[in-house]
Amino acid sequence: MSNPSLLILAGDGIGPEVMTEVQRIIAWYGDKRGLNFDVSEDLVGGAAYDAHGVPLHDDTMAKAQEVDAVLLGAVGGPAYDDLDFSVKPERGLLRLRKEMDLFANLRPAQCFDALADFSSLKKDIVAGLDIMIVRELTSGSYFGEPRGIFTENNERVGINTQRYTESEIDRVARAAFELARKRGGKLCSMEKANVMESGILWRDVVTEVHAADYSDIELSHMYADNGAMQLVRAPKQFDVILTDNLFGDLLSDCAAMLTGSLGMLPSASLGAPMENGRPKAMYEPVHGSAPDISGQGKANPCACILSFAMALRYSFDQGAEADRLEAAVESVLASGVRTADLMQADGGTPASTTEMGDAVIAALDASL
Ligand code: IPM
Ligand code: MG
């Protein structure tokens, strides 16, 4: 049997720096665990624009459709701020999500004990936090038509459309209920059914899916604005949160900061199963390209490394190896080795991106 295939799209800013560390981890799994991957690399975002004049070349899109999983770093940067909307770096990412039909975006927000002091909230509110946000990723106001800037009555009108079909809600709800079943058995669905018809439909469909197939799961519904408030008031009340594309974008950034640093959070974007049974999949850190620190060797590679752990778990059925990698990251943090984003003002010398990678690899070695 051939090795599973990975396409690495490191992208812009700190993307290539953090991905270099992930490549070392991938190599470690080949050397030490006999888990070999066929790795190829290509361009996305500003890097692709510089080379091809588009943020994602058609050939790259075709490769992404072929591989078992895509690992993405980050896209965007100030150099591309003035580009036409259609070729902005973010369009490359959105095209991958849409054309691979990666409808379920899993964004875990876990507070490692060693980092509880870094949260903007009090330690007892976040210590032990472990929630999973499931964000719908291929529809809603990110993609709904009509969209555009038009002229009406001699003035410009900007239009985006919040639109969800039943089947779109149904499939992402099932993905979230399945996760809830493997976790704490609770799911909270968030929308704005008080003001939006799409929210009413969302609530109806989630309720129907629950009644039909998941009545063992404890289901609750919340308006998304209240959800944001509850996330900062008492985040440990949640297990799985299910929400749409735009609310999910906001709520996941909010949940991310509860854990202390955006530099820690991975994500998985999953679609329907392919012929080989694996889901279409892309894994990426939740953080962006961080142009302010790019090229300085300061970036925290943990989110990208933990994204690879999610790939081991969700694409390659290697849950034990994913546990191993997550435990390695956790032990490094507990040992006090940290990048600058996780240092107190008087915390000593921060580790560089490469030193953090070294420490994770040493912890992996120690786990054998
Ligand atoms: C995210 C990002 C993206 C989004 C941007 C980069 C297009 O904020 O993955 O959360 O809005 O979805
Ligand atoms: Mg976002």
Side-chain angles (χ1 to χ4, degrees):
M1 247 177 71
S2 60
N3 297 327
S5 53
L6 289 173
L7 173 62
I8 293 191
L9 303 174
D12 306 323
I14 61 170
E17 294 168 58
V18 295
M19 200 57 90
T20 298
E21 302 313 310
V22 174
Q23 298 246 36
R24 296 172 65 204
I25 307 273
I26 294 170
W28 185 91
Y29 273 97
D31 292 348
K32 303 287 173 74
R33 303 299 300 155
L35 265 179
N36 291 291
F37 295 93
D38 288 337
V39 179
S40 54
E41 292 182 66
D42 212 327
L43 303 173
V44 69
Y49 179 83
D50 291 340
H52 307 299
V54 286
L56 187 74
H57 195 279
D58 289 346
D59 293 348
T60 316
M61 186 65 240
K63 271 192 228 169
Q65 297 284 20
E66 291 297 310
V67 292
D68 291 311
V70 176
L71 303 182
L72 188 132
V75 296
Y80 310 103
D81 280 353
D82 296 330
L83 290 184
D84 186 74
F85 186 74
S86 64
V87 290
K88 278 199 187 293
E90 291 78 6
R91 304 308 305 168
L93 175 59
L94 293 170
R95 180 174 177 202
L96 283 161
R97 291 175 177 172
K98 186 69 179 174
E99 292 190 19
M100 292 172 75
D101 203 17
L102 304 173
F103 58 86
N105 181 218
L106 281 44
R107 297 190 163 188
Q110 219 181 330
C111 185
F112 291 96
D113 285 345
L115 299 183
D117 284 327
F118 284 89
S119 175
S120 48
L121 298 189
K122 294 193 194 80
K123 190 170 179 169
D124 60 308
I125 294 188
V126 293
L129 178 75
D130 179 6
I131 60 187
M132 174 72 86
I133 298 194
V134 179
R135 166 188 177 191
E136 198 292 326
L137 202 60
T138 51
S139 186
S141 51
Y142 272 57
F143 297 100
E145 301 279 347
R147 64 182 299 167
I149 300 176
F150 306 96
T151 304
E152 261 173 37
N153 303 326
N154 293 321
E155 64 170 349
R156 286 173 304 158
V157 190
I159 298 182
N160 291 93
T161 302
Q162 168 77 337
R163 177 180 193 279
Y164 272 104
T165 64
E166 278 185 272
S167 54
E168 286 169 340
I169 303 167
D170 181 286
R171 65 182 184 169
V172 73
R174 284 177 191 280
F177 279 122
E178 290 291 335
L179 278 166
R181 202 171 259 169
K182 294 198 192 107
R183 295 172 42 99
K186 283 201 319 187
L187 187 146
C188 180
S189 171
M190 298 187 186
E191 24 58 12
K192 285 282 289 174
N194 50 346
V195 286
M196 298 167 79
E197 285 79 0
S198 58
I200 295 176
L201 184 69
W202 184 279
R203 192 174 281 221
D204 281 355
V205 174
V206 171
T207 304
E208 286 160 18
V209 170
H210 177 248
D213 291 316
Y214 298 97
S215 51
D216 53 313
I217 307 294
E218 191 188 312
L219 170 67
S220 58
H221 302 275
M222 208 178 257
Y223 298 139
D225 53 342
N226 183 27
M229 191 263 276
Q230 295 297 335
L231 265 177
V232 291
R233 193 187 70 85
K236 284 190 256 181
Q237 70 186 282
F238 298 115
D239 176 20
V240 174
I241 293 175
L242 166 65
T243 191
D244 77 7
N245 202 344
L246 183 59
F247 294 139
D249 183 44
L250 307 179
L251 294 169
S252 64
D253 262 28
C254 177
M257 205 53 222
L258 301 175
T259 69
S261 170
L262 265 179
M264 291 303 303
L265 293 180
S267 78
S269 304
L270 305 177
M274 300 185 282
E275 258 168 42
N276 62 13
R278 296 186 174 118
K280 279 253 158 125
M282 178 160 76
Y283 299 87
E284 51 175 311
V286 170
H287 64 67
S289 58
D292 53 322
I293 58 161
S294 92
Q296 301 169 37
K298 283 186 189 169
N300 183 351
C302 290
C304 205
I305 291 172
L306 293 171
S307 298
F308 177 63
M310 290 188 88
L312 290 172
R313 189 182 308 283
Y314 293 107
S315 282
F316 304 117
D317 213 12
Q318 295 285 345
E321 296 301 337
D323 288 346
R324 179 196 300 280
L325 183 51
E326 287 163 2
V329 170
E330 186 159 12
S331 74
V332 170
L333 295 171
S335 76
V337 177
R338 289 161 190 205
T339 41
D341 54 314
L342 300 175
M343 284 306 233
Q344 310 280 19
D346 55 355
T349 318
S352 68
T353 308
T354 314
E355 286 163 348
M356 197 70 192
D358 293 344
V360 174
I361 287 172
L364 283 172
D365 281 332
S367 76
L368 293 176

